[in-house]
Amino acid sequence: MPKTFFITTAIDYTNSPPHIGHAYEKVLADVIARYRRLKGEKVFFLTGVDQHGQKVQQSAAKAGVPPAEFVKSITQKFVDLWKKLDVKYDAWAATIDPLHKTCVQGILQRLFDEGQIYKDKQAGYYSIRQEQFLTDKERGPDGEFGPEWGEVEFREEENYYFKLNQHKEWLLSYIDNRKDAVVPDFRQAELRNAVEKLSGDLCISRPKSRLDWGIELPFDKDFVTYVWFDALTNYISFAGYDPRQSTINSQSSTFRDKWPALQIIGKDILVPAHGIYWLIMLHALGFPDEQMPQLLVHGWWNISGAKMSKSAGNVVDPFALADKYGADALRYYLMIGIATSQDADFSEEHLIQFYNRDLANDLGNMLSRTLTMIRKYRNGRLSWPSLDQRPPYECKGWENYTNTMNQFAVHQCIYIAIGAASFCNQYIEDQKPWALAKDPKQTEQLDAVLYYSAEALRMSAILISPILPKAAHGIFDQLKWKMELAGKEERFRFEEAKWGGLPNGHVVGKPVPLFPRIEISD
Ligand code: ME8
Ligand code: MG
């Protein structure tokens, strides 16, 4: 069976509605998934929501509704957003799903039976307000716990622990043996440093008296599992992993066909969650090194250099932006305004600037002037050029596109796709079809310029389709090309991004403004 390209994103907390950071991560994953399908690969794209835990329990209590009801309404907001932004996934990982629960409990039971999970007593200072044990890190300069912790008391509590520390040497050797375990490289180095400092095991439970909104431990009904075995496990439970099978080879082909995944996560959850806990959990479950997922770590969108947060009141609402500018304009800015491994500042002004410069001017202008000229000079009909007047924009560009996309440098790929359009705007300036049209001796030359301009548009549409699916369809519609596949993603195929696709005599459609300029009103 040919391998499926399996891509996952972090599941999003359902303690509050989605913000622009969530939108960015899912659009990035969607662009990579669409690019793979464009290349003819089979893709399985998994995303979802993290519905259990303390934060959700607290938010639900504050709202005065049961947690199950609370997560339902927030979950719906995520589902609605992905629909609005054309994020097209194959499976939905909602952690309250009974299938997921069965898988999580199966995994916990197996590791417990194998002696990887044990019970221990913890004693220390505990913040009642924050519901967590405090360490010396939480002490202020005066040695006391600050007022943000509220009342602090000494407590003893029993919990279950996962033997994390015994896998430390393995994790170091795995990281050292695989250069692309984490992308980008500086994040892999950051992870390695953190692993070197690793000590102690991982607490994986909470007594039900403290937290009951979670998955019960299969071997002790007084506890629920706390975060890690619940949330991280989604990446395999929703891909068909069977916890009763202890080797990869005994897993069903449904699972083996997909795994290992490319996992897209934000910079805040590499250390320790995905880079340490998750990789060690998989190793403990018997996943061999070559079956470890690759971690693609993206940066964060900030607001004027500051972190976006509810308390700072600077959370950017993706729904409002999509309503105001359209899904494609928002997708475009989220992809071009940031380098995948870096942070960037989100600003509506920049969104408008990028849109007007690249889409309204370059691509939009190229489309309307080309169609207008073909209709004006040739009644909309294209002729195969008899001259080789192909613009010197060569297919090398497409090779770069593939290479940069394979390195997840989406913003650079956009420049290649849009570059074809702006290059052809220049080509039209140079060739001056309006002058050629006045000279009967230049008939063939004019045919060639019109034909290759239409071709450049067709190819730009193919290359931009992972980023701007709606606009790519709009360009094909106006070219009257592949109308039988209108609205379908199969309309775009990477292998067709080469000169000579439009047949002799092809008649193009009417130009309709695809990217009307956004005027800034103050
Ligand atoms: O971390 N810019 O959920 P989450 C870019 N449920 N990405 C951002 C961002 C920003 N400003 N803010 C958040 C969780 N993200 C857990 C994951 S694993 C135990 C489960 C990214 O809702 C963030 O980095 O806080 C993460 O990858 C994703 O959004 C979900 O964040
Ligand atoms: Mg690396």
Side-chain angles (χ1 to χ4, degrees), residues 361-363 365-366 369 421-429:
N361 289 358
D362 284 353
L363 195 52
N365 193 21
M366 172 72 185
R369 76 196 297 203
S422 50
F423 185 90
C424 280
N425 269 329
Q426 189 55 49
Y427 171 69
I428 290 174
E429 292 302 321

Side-chain angles (χ1 to χ4, degrees), residues 7-254:
I7 181 168
T8 75
T9 67
I11 47 175
D12 301 309
Y13 281 129
T14 50
N15 60 317
S16 52
H19 55 60
I20 204 73
H22 295 126
Y24 165 62
E25 183 177 280
K26 273 56 187 179
V27 170
L28 174 62
D30 184 62
V31 167
I32 294 170
R34 285 178 187 270
Y35 161 72
R36 293 284 170 166
R37 290 194 293 264
L38 186 69
K39 299 265 288 181
E41 289 175 54
K42 225 173 105 192
V43 172
F44 186 79
F45 172 13
L46 175 71
T47 191
V49 279
D50 193 357
Q51 297 166 309
H52 289 130
Q54 203 85 54
K55 287 188 189 180
V56 173
Q57 186 172 296
Q58 279 165 354
S59 301
K62 221 186 254 169
V65 293
E69 210 174 290
F70 183 80
V71 293
K72 215 170 155 188
S73 73
I74 303 277
T75 296
Q76 191 57 45
K77 294 199 168 103
F78 280 97
V79 171
D80 291 346
L81 183 61
W82 307 149
K83 183 144 192 256
K84 199 177 191 86
L85 296 183
D86 293 312
V87 172
K88 202 171 128 188
Y89 46 87
D90 300 289
W92 182 244
T95 54
I96 59 169
D97 193 316
L99 253 161
H100 173 69
K101 180 177 157 186
T102 305
C103 185
V104 168
Q105 290 182 328
I107 285 173
L108 288 167
Q109 187 66 56
R110 172 140 70 87
L111 292 177
F112 183 71
D113 293 343
E114 289 171 1
Q116 300 258 5
I117 291 173
Y118 62 94
K119 197 174 190 180
D120 201 5
K121 193 181 275 171
Q122 185 184 12
Y125 290 96
Y126 183 85
S127 154
I128 295 171
R129 180 193 291 171
Q130 296 300 332
E131 302 196 42
Q132 69 178 75
F133 277 97
L134 304 176
T135 64
D136 285 342
K137 270 192 307 199
E138 275 86 44
R139 289 182 193 272
D142 58 354
E144 300 293 316
F145 296 110
E148 70 273 23
W149 301 107
E151 190 188 336
V152 173
E153 64 173 32
F154 193 81
R155 237 195 221 195
E156 275 190 341
E157 188 174 286
E158 287 202 296
N159 266 308
Y160 287 87
Y161 291 80
F162 169 55
K163 290 184 179 169
L164 194 71
N165 206 45
Q166 70 177 26
H167 302 290
K168 175 176 171 175
E169 291 313 313
W170 165 77
L171 185 52
L172 283 173
S173 73
Y174 165 69
I175 293 171
D176 288 342
N177 289 328
R178 181 168 171 190
K179 281 206 157 42
D180 65 349
V182 180
V183 178
D185 288 344
F186 75 90
R187 294 286 176 204
Q188 180 149 340
E190 179 188 311
L191 173 62
R192 199 188 186 287
N193 281 335
V195 179
E196 271 180 349
K197 292 190 197 107
L198 181 68
S199 70
D201 287 336
L202 179 65
C203 181
I204 58 150
S205 71
R206 288 289 182 269
K208 276 195 187 163
S209 53
R210 270 220 275 150
L211 172 71
D212 63 3
W213 181 238
I215 298 175
E216 192 178 285
L217 293 186
F219 41 82
D220 193 335
K221 62 177 176 28
D222 292 334
F223 292 84
V224 297
T225 187
Y226 170 70
V227 183
W228 316 114
F229 275 90
D230 180 346
L232 294 164
T233 299
N234 91 86
Y235 304 123
I236 54 175
S237 67
F238 289 96
Y241 180 76
D242 180 353
R244 290 163 306 183
Q245 309 297 331
S246 57
T247 67
I248 281 277
N249 287 339
S250 50
Q251 292 293 325
S252 69
S253 58
T254 315

